[in-house]
């Protein structure tokens, strides 16, 4: 036995040395995030040991799991990134390398265009003259920029029409300046699309614009002014005083607009179908009601008159827009519009050769996400075995949820509706069988020429959506490289990206406890959302909403969760609904895992069951399920205590309590409602993680 173990060790060392040599030859260091791109073979034992070591490093054995399981599972989280951010960084590295590869014979026309555009972006730094020519033409063709030295603004001033200029910028470049135009499901008749007038994008981060209103005395306000001042100085060669004055004028203008915003961006088409009740009128009626030339704007966007009624999604904002424009002259309005437009096109001030690939990838992701999806899917196509594993997991989740929606607190009629609704919910993965064709004539060394063409073509494709009928497609399809899982109520499906099934985050050799505790919960969360109060309250396609008695019982049960949130943080409806969904997702995933275990028992498959634990970790398989669930939510301590904005924005504290945060509630909240967790970690009744009153809906 000792001799056999010794030989295994020698073989493992030899394999490790071989892998290191291969990596060195490829120009990669062991542990480099880029290793995920060139998948190196590892033995099952090596993979499982590596995962065990990673989990062990994060655990704080000095913490009491019955007092604060988040601290126990994540107390030694040693990286500056969350698990989600680490996965996104790895995916970005892989996408960059895919774009940098030479053209392949199998590349579609769209993929070739993406690679050509990316390469032209990389060398754009050496094309300063092309940039100046592009910006000069762009400014001249779109109403002018009064602040530009020698602009001869008086030549444009008399005929300047802000609505027409903003509409042209929306049509050709997709810019939402002053007006936010969205095209999504017409909830009066979901078989067609409709126009919605919503809030536009802003320079000021939306959180500081609506949720936490920015004040002129805030540090962030001064940082914004300094940023805009430096941009104007760089773009327009303006003097210090002049650029500072104009920057103050631009920020003040936008801060006034923020006074009417309620945080409708980013636009969520599915959410608004259920949660809002917008007014629908003709553009002429809305224009008269709000004192704005909305007809001119929409006509400029579509280059034709739109007679169909549109939805007003942000009445407070458009009243504020009318008031703000009424106190500004044409020069000030034009300066704001053109500053925002130029800012959307140029590279950021901190652009360097090291940062350029990431910036160019972001531009491709913004304009050609489908091309990146094709590339990723072609490289990381799911093997048949992995597809079967996924479908088996999804079936077990649905079976567990079917049991939950058959509970006695639901009336018989609502139970039947829920079971039918669940049976129709399918799992969908991105498909790229139907090619997308864009009419482009790209030039390898002329990024600005390419950018103009590409933005116009992308906008033409999006404008065709308004005419779609017979249940239009979602505006934000999940691509293969994404880790999102999205519930599409109208299509009766969940959409998920392939990236969720890629190592090192996912590996079937980790065992089913890990699989159900991570991927299972990720799939269960949108699955159970189909049966939350929002999606039960309105039937869009048919009569699929619950009865009044069931709705009343749901509301009573949800009050239990509201009290838990209030005890931990402060009363918050959004946090309460998220806790309800997270608790249900954890319950469903755990019960699905138990169902899987029960199917293995009759076969007495000891080898398979022995792989449900990890080597060197003294935890049972069910304890590993709970640990893997918690460690998916780990965050660095500074991020955990605050909802951080990108620097230099100041932090916003979520909770006044030092040891309480939404991050901890997202882990501790669902677990403390699960009796099996308390039993696994021997938590005494009445402890923080084993309260006497447990909340449950599904």
């Amino acid at each position: 036995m000792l001799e056999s173990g010794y030989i295994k060790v020698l073989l493992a060392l030899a394999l490790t040395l071989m892998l290191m040599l291969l990596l060195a030859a490829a120009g990669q260091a062991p542990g480099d995030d880029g290793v995920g791109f060139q998948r190196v073979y590892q033995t099952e034992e090596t993979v499982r040991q590596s995962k065990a070591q990673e989990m062990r490093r994060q655990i704080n054995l000095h913490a009491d799991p019955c007092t604060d399981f988040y601290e126990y599972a994540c107390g030694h989280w040693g990286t500056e990134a969350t698990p989600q951010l680490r996965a996104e960084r790895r995916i970005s590295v892989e996408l960059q390398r895919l774009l940098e590869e030479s053209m392949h014979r199998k590349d579609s026309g769209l993929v070739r265009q993406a690679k050509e555009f990316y390469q032209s972006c990389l060398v754009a730094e050496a094309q300063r003259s092309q940039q100046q020519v592009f910006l000069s033409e762009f400014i001249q063709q779109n109403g002018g920029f009064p602040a530009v030295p020698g602009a001869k603004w008086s030549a444009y001033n008399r005929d300047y029409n802000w609505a027409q200029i903003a509409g042209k910028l929306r049509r050709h470049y997709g810019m939402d300046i002053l007006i936010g135009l969205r095209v999504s499901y017409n909830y009066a008749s979901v078989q067609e699309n409709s126009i919605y007038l919503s809030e536009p994008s802003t320079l000021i981060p939306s959180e500081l614009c609506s949720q936490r209103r920015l004040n002129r005395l805030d540090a962030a306000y001064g940082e914004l002014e300094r940023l805009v001042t430096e941009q104007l100085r760089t773009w327009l060669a303006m003097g210090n005083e002049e650029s500072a004055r104009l920057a103050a004028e631009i920020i003040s203008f936008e801060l006034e607009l923020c006074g009417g915003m309620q945080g409708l961006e980013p636009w969520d088409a599915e959410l608004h179908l259920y949660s809002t009740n917008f007014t629908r009128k003709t553009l002429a009626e809305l224009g008269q009601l709000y004192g704005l030339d909305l007809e001119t704007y929409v006509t400029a966007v579509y280059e034709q008159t739109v007679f169909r009624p549109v939805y007003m999604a942000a009445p407070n904002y458009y009243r504020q827009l009318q008031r703000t424009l009424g106190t500004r002259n044409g020069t000030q309005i034009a300066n704001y519009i053109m500053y925002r437009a130029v800012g959307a096109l140029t590279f950021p001030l901190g652009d360097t050769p090291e940062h350029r690939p990431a910036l160019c990838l972001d531009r491709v992701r913004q304009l050609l996400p489908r091309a990146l999806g094709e590339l990723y899917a072609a490289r990381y196509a799911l093997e048949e075995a992995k597809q079967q594993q996924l479908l088996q997991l999804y079936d077990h989740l649905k079976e567990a949820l079917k049991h939950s929606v058959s509970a006695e607190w639901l009336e018989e009629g609502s139970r039947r509706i829920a079971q039918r609704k669940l049976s129709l919910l399918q799992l969908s993965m991105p498909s790229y069988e139907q090619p997308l064709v864009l009419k482009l004539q790209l030039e390898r060394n002329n990024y600005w020429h390419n950018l103009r063409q590409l933005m116009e073509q992308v906008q033409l494709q999006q404008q065709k959506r308004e005419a779609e009928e017979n249940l239009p497609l979602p505006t934000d399809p999940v691509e293969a490289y994404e880790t999102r899982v999205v519930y599409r109520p109208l299509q009766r499906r969940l959409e998920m990206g392939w990236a969720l099934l890629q190592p090192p985050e996912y590996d079937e050799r980790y065992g089913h406890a890990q699989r159900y505790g991570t991927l299972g919960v990720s799939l269960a969360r949108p699955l159970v959302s189909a049966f939350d109060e929002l999606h039960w309250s309105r039937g869009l396609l048919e009569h699929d909403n619950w009865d009044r008695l069931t709705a009343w019982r749901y509301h009573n049960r949800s009050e239990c969760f509201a009290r838990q949130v209030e005890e931990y943080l402060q009363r918050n409806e959004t946090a309460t609904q998220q806790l309800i969904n997270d608790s249900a997702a954890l319950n469903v995933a755990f019960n699905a895992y138990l169902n899987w275990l029960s199917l293995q028992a009759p076969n007495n498959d000891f080898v398979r069951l022995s792989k449900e634990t990890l080597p060197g970790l003294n935890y049972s398989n069910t304890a590993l399920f709970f640990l893997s669930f918690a460690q998916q939510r780990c965050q660095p301590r500074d991020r955990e205590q605050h909802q951080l904005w990108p620097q230099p924005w100041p932090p916003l504290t979520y909770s006044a309590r030092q040891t309480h945060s939404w991050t901890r509630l997202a882990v501790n909240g669902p677990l403390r409602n699960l009796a099996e967790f308390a039993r696994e970690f021997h938590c005494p009744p009445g402890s923080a993680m084993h309260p006497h009153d447990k909340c449950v809906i599904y």
Side-chain angles (χ1 to χ4, degrees), residues 509-521:
R509 293 170 289 187
Y510 296 159
H512 286 72
Q514 291 275 336
R515 185 182 307 173
Y516 280 78
T518 55
L519 179 62
V521 174

Side-chain angles (χ1 to χ4, degrees), residues 489-518:
L490 299 184
Q491 287 78 16
R492 295 192 176 101
R493 69 179 184 231
L494 300 190
E495 291 181 4
M496 70 171 287
W498 296 19
L500 273 176
L501 298 169
Q502 302 303 323
E505 288 77 28
Y506 173 90
D507 195 310
E508 60 268 26
R509 293 170 289 187
Y510 296 159
H512 286 72
Q514 291 275 336
R515 185 182 307 173
Y516 280 78
T518 55

Side-chain angles (χ1 to χ4, degrees), residues 290-304:
Y290 294 96
L292 296 168
D293 193 0
L294 299 175
E295 282 185 284
T296 295
Y297 174 84
V298 176
T299 299
V301 172
Y302 292 99
E303 291 188 342
Q304 62 181 4

Side-chain angles (χ1 to χ4, degrees), residues 389-672:
Q389 292 169 8
L390 175 63
L391 293 176
Q392 180 192 61
L393 184 149
Y394 185 66
D395 286 342
H396 285 159
L397 291 173
K398 288 179 67 175
E399 189 62 32
L401 183 54
K402 181 181 178 181
H403 179 76
S404 295
V405 298
S406 301
E408 290 186 0
W409 66 267
L410 287 90
E411 287 293 293
E412 180 62 30
S414 290
R415 272 185 241 158
R416 287 197 300 268
I417 291 172
Q419 291 167 3
R420 181 176 182 276
K421 184 177 182 179
L422 179 61
S423 69
L424 294 174
L425 281 176
Q426 301 299 313
L427 183 62
S428 172
M429 305 287 283
S431 173
Y432 301 97
E433 295 179 358
Q434 295 183 347
L436 174 64
V437 179
L438 297 179
K439 297 179 181 179
L440 299 172
Q441 295 293 327
L442 300 181
E443 299 177 10
R444 189 175 184 83
N445 295 315
N446 195 338
Y447 167 74
W448 302 101
H449 165 80
N450 297 342
L451 179 64
R452 185 201 301 270
Q453 279 196 82
L454 186 52
M455 293 181 86
E456 289 188 355
Q457 280 294 309
V458 168
Q459 289 311 304
L460 285 175
Q461 290 291 326
Q462 292 186 359
Q463 285 159 17
K464 292 178 181 178
R465 280 186 39 78
E466 191 189 356
E468 287 182 355
E469 296 181 354
N470 299 321
L471 198 56
L473 296 173
T475 57
D476 59 336
V478 176
E479 301 294 348
Y481 58 84
E482 294 188 89
T483 58
R484 288 190 298 153
V485 185
V486 180
Y487 169 48
R488 306 292 189 190
L490 299 184
Q491 287 78 16
R492 295 192 176 101
R493 69 179 184 231
L494 300 190
E495 291 181 4
M496 70 171 287
W498 296 19
L500 273 176
L501 298 169
Q502 302 303 323
E505 288 77 28
Y506 173 90
D507 195 310
E508 60 268 26
R509 293 170 289 187
Y510 296 159
H512 286 72
Q514 291 275 336
R515 185 182 307 173
Y516 280 78
T518 55
L519 179 62
V521 174
S522 295
L523 284 171
R525 193 174 291 115
L527 189 63
V528 299
S529 73
F531 304 91
D532 62 19
E533 186 171 18
L534 180 69
H535 293 98
W536 261 111
S537 61
R538 183 175 182 182
L540 292 174
L541 294 177
E542 56 191 52
H543 182 73
D544 61 354
N545 50 322
W546 54 20
D547 63 273
R548 291 184 179 181
L549 184 56
T550 299
W552 178 77
R553 289 170 179 162
Y554 182 100
H555 178 74
N556 282 351
R557 287 170 172 264
S558 67
E559 278 299 308
C560 177
F561 290 93
R563 288 192 294 272
Q564 286 190 343
V565 171
E566 190 171 8
E567 291 168 4
Y568 206 86
L569 299 171
Q570 55 189 357
R571 196 165 184 87
N572 183 298
E573 289 185 10
T574 301
T576 298
Q577 188 56 58
Q578 190 148 352
L579 179 57
I580 290 172
N581 284 5
D582 285 353
S583 296
L586 179 66
N587 287 343
V588 167
F590 185 68
N591 288 328
Y593 176 59
L594 294 182
N595 291 342
W596 177 85
L597 281 175
S598 68
L599 293 175
Q600 314 311 309
N603 301 323
N604 198 22
D605 192 342
F606 176 77
V607 174
R608 169 173 274 191
L609 292 176
S610 67
K611 293 178 181 178
E612 288 304 290
T613 57
L614 290 174
L617 278 182
N618 189 26
Y619 294 101
S620 68
N621 56 321
T622 47
L624 281 179
F625 174 95
F626 297 127
L627 272 172
S628 63
F629 161 75
Q631 290 190 345
Q632 286 289 99
R633 298 293 190 101
C634 291
Q635 291 196 13
R637 287 194 181 275
D638 60 343
R639 285 179 176 267
E640 181 228 325
Q641 290 298 332
H642 302 290
Q643 182 70 36
L644 291 182
W645 318 120
Q647 293 300 323
W649 320 129
L652 174 63
T653 302
Y654 198 94
S655 171
R657 305 187 186 187
Q658 293 274 329
T659 58
H660 287 185
S661 65
W662 168 245
T663 300
R664 289 179 186 249
L665 180 61
V667 171
N668 293 339
L671 289 173
R672 69 200 297 262

Side-chain angles (χ1 to χ4, degrees), residues 259-280:
M261 293 191 179
Q262 297 176 311
L264 292 177
E265 296 301 311
W267 182 262
D268 188 329
E270 276 89 4
L271 177 64
H272 291 307
L273 279 173
Y274 289 90
S275 63
T276 50
N277 187 19
F278 300 134
T279 301
R280 196 181 193 207

